[in-house]
Amino acid sequence: MPVVVVVGAQWGDEGKGKVVDLLSERADVVVRYGGGANAGHTLVIDGTELVTHLVPSGVLHPGTQCVLADGMVIDPQTLVDEIAACRERGLLADDELCISERAHVVLPYHKQIEGLREEQHRAIGTTRRGIGPAYEAKAARRGVRIADLYDRKRLRELVDLNLIEIGVLVRHYGGEPMAESDIESMIDDAMRAAESFESAVGDAGRVVSRAIGSGANVLFEGAQGALLDIDHGTYPYVTSSSTIAGGACTGTGIGPTKIDHVIGITKAYCTRVGEGPFPTEMDAEVAEQWRVAGGEYGATTGRPRRCGWLDIAALRVAARLSGIGGFALTKLDVLRGRGTIRVCVGYRVEGIVVDELPANLQGAEPLYEELEGWDDDTRGARSVDELPGAAQAYIRSIEQLVGVPLALVSVGPDRRDTILLRDPFSS
């Protein structure tokens, strides 16, 4: 049975939650393979919202196993709170959650140093959830893993090792290192949280591998987007993990030959949260109109998202990086009544025209094509033929310009407002 990876193809916030929720109806296992509580997925079911940060969007489907894999960095208390919120709605039975014992842990000192850096050193627009510092500790071979939360002596040794290095930075940025009583309280809190979900902790990679081997439908849910990838994104304004499809392999512990399909998610326009280059960004007045129409505020931080025209050149990069075989186009309904619509089809860099988003965006000039807009509502359409003619033309233009077909079109926020063109689980 198919193994499908869903990835963001822009700067995150593309609507992956809704798409994963829809595809999860056919999945037996849904896996988050990277990132942490810096990623929020807003799910709208019958007009009611549920925001998840760590638990995969497949949580809305009873009987679907939700896996938090090795490549994640997990805030124990956030996870406890999220599990409780899900269970209050009758979701996420005990046997439906698997948490990797190898996943790393976000602790309060990670958040402290990230906040100080944003305030005192260089603001790059992080969520201040401690994700970057947790990945730094992982790379430095001093990280705390989920398994370490069940051995107090081991946990204290690791915390002390980290505080020696982080304490120097905290003082450098004018902060106060943690007092002994705060350290003990932090350890108590982490162990208490871990005890509450201990029955779900195990070898997540082996669980996923066995599911694939048994013929289960497995869906991998990416966090953020391709343009925030630590290696391939708009560095240094990126996240701290691999956000492309290959991250599903390294973050879970499966081989690349196990993946059958990759679906890339893109809005019908672009958004970005925080600092960093955004070549197709709209004028402030126009952007505010789109922001209000699209509800463009971060699910994790509530920050207003910057809005811009669709960047075809960037989508070409995302398609290449992840081997995307089909795009899911979200928020088509937001384009209603916007007049002429612009799309970036390439860039001029030092007099040379390039068809992909360049690595160095300084001095890069976006090249636009203009397409006809539409005024009729797209919500309620259940096939492409039911969409306004200009909306159909817009969809066809995206397919032709990127060179990748659309697999899904979202015409409204609710689960029902979706046109599925190609089901990756049908083959």
Side-chain angles (χ1 to χ4, degrees), residues 73-76 104-117 126 128-138 142-145 158-159 162-163 166 170 178 186:
V73 287
I74 298 172
D75 183 323
H104 280 246
V105 175
V106 176
L107 292 168
Y109 54 77
H110 295 130
K111 300 176 185 178
Q112 181 189 22
I113 190 60
E114 187 166 63
L116 286 169
R117 284 171 172 166
T126 73
R128 306 189 183 206
R129 298 299 177 95
I131 307 304
Y135 276 117
E136 288 177 35
K138 175 181 177 178
R142 53 179 166 80
V144 175
R145 301 196 296 177
L158 288 170
V159 166
N162 279 274
L163 290 177
I166 286 182
V170 167
M178 295 183 72
M186 174 184 67

Side-chain angles (χ1 to χ4, degrees), residues 117-350:
R117 284 171 172 166
E118 286 284 314
E119 294 166 4
Q120 307 295 334
H121 179 48
R122 180 177 64 167
I124 63 172
T126 73
T127 60
R128 306 189 183 206
R129 298 299 177 95
I131 307 304
Y135 276 117
E136 288 177 35
K138 175 181 177 178
R141 276 84 76 188
R142 53 179 166 80
V144 175
R145 301 196 296 177
I146 290 292
D148 299 319
L149 299 180
Y150 302 101
D151 183 337
R152 191 180 188 93
K153 180 180 178 183
R154 167 70 173 163
L155 178 57
R156 180 65 203 234
E157 290 173 352
L158 288 170
V159 166
D160 287 344
L161 179 63
N162 279 274
L163 290 177
I164 289 172
E165 298 201 25
I166 286 182
V168 174
L169 291 173
V170 167
R171 283 188 287 269
H172 175 72
Y173 293 129
E176 288 292 330
M178 295 183 72
E180 176 64 27
S181 59
D182 293 332
I183 297 171
E184 285 296 313
S185 178
M186 174 184 67
I187 290 173
D188 288 341
D189 290 344
M191 294 190 70
R192 189 179 305 112
E195 182 180 2
S196 72
F197 54 67
E198 184 174 8
S199 62
V201 174
D203 189 339
R206 194 169 189 185
V207 168
V208 175
S209 183
R210 283 178 170 173
I212 294 172
S214 70
N217 284 345
V218 179
L219 182 64
F220 289 90
E221 173 182 331
Q224 289 93 34
L227 302 181
L228 293 177
D229 186 88
I230 184 66
D231 293 309
H232 308 289
T234 49
Y235 191 88
Y237 300 96
V238 295
T239 192
S240 304
S241 58
S242 176
T243 61
I244 60 177
C249 299
T250 57
T252 304
I254 64 164
T257 56
K258 300 297 184 182
I259 296 174
D260 298 305
H261 303 288
V262 179
I263 302 294
I265 316 300
T266 174
K267 283 177 181 168
Y269 50 99
C270 279
T271 61
R272 178 164 197 166
V273 173
E275 304 298 323
F278 191 13
T280 67
E281 189 166 12
M282 300 169 177
D283 294 337
E285 183 177 346
V286 177
E288 180 61 20
Q289 295 172 7
W290 289 60
R291 185 178 299 117
V292 172
E296 296 298 354
Y297 299 90
T300 298
T301 63
R303 291 181 295 178
R305 296 174 183 144
R306 299 154 65 189
C307 296
W309 303 106
L310 183 63
D311 194 331
I312 297 293
L315 291 182
R316 293 183 185 124
V317 174
R320 173 172 57 82
L321 291 174
S322 287
I324 292 172
F327 275 108
L329 184 70
T330 64
K331 294 204 171 184
L332 185 68
D333 52 301
V334 179
L335 272 60
R336 175 193 180 192
R338 303 290 155 206
T340 300
I341 300 169
R342 306 174 77 190
V343 294
C344 172
V345 296
Y347 285 85
R348 183 177 287 109
V349 183
E350 296 182 352

Side-chain angles (χ1 to χ4, degrees), residues 268 310 312 329 332 335 341 343 369-374 378 383-402 406 409:
L310 183 63
I312 297 293
L329 184 70
L332 185 68
L335 272 60
I341 300 169
V343 294
E369 287 187 6
E370 293 189 345
L371 301 173
E372 181 185 355
W374 60 91
T378 61
S383 71
V384 171
D385 292 339
E386 295 178 14
L387 292 171
Q392 295 182 42
Y394 187 70
I395 289 171
R396 289 193 297 269
S397 294
I398 294 171
E399 290 182 318
Q400 292 166 3
L401 289 167
V402 182
L406 293 183
V409 180

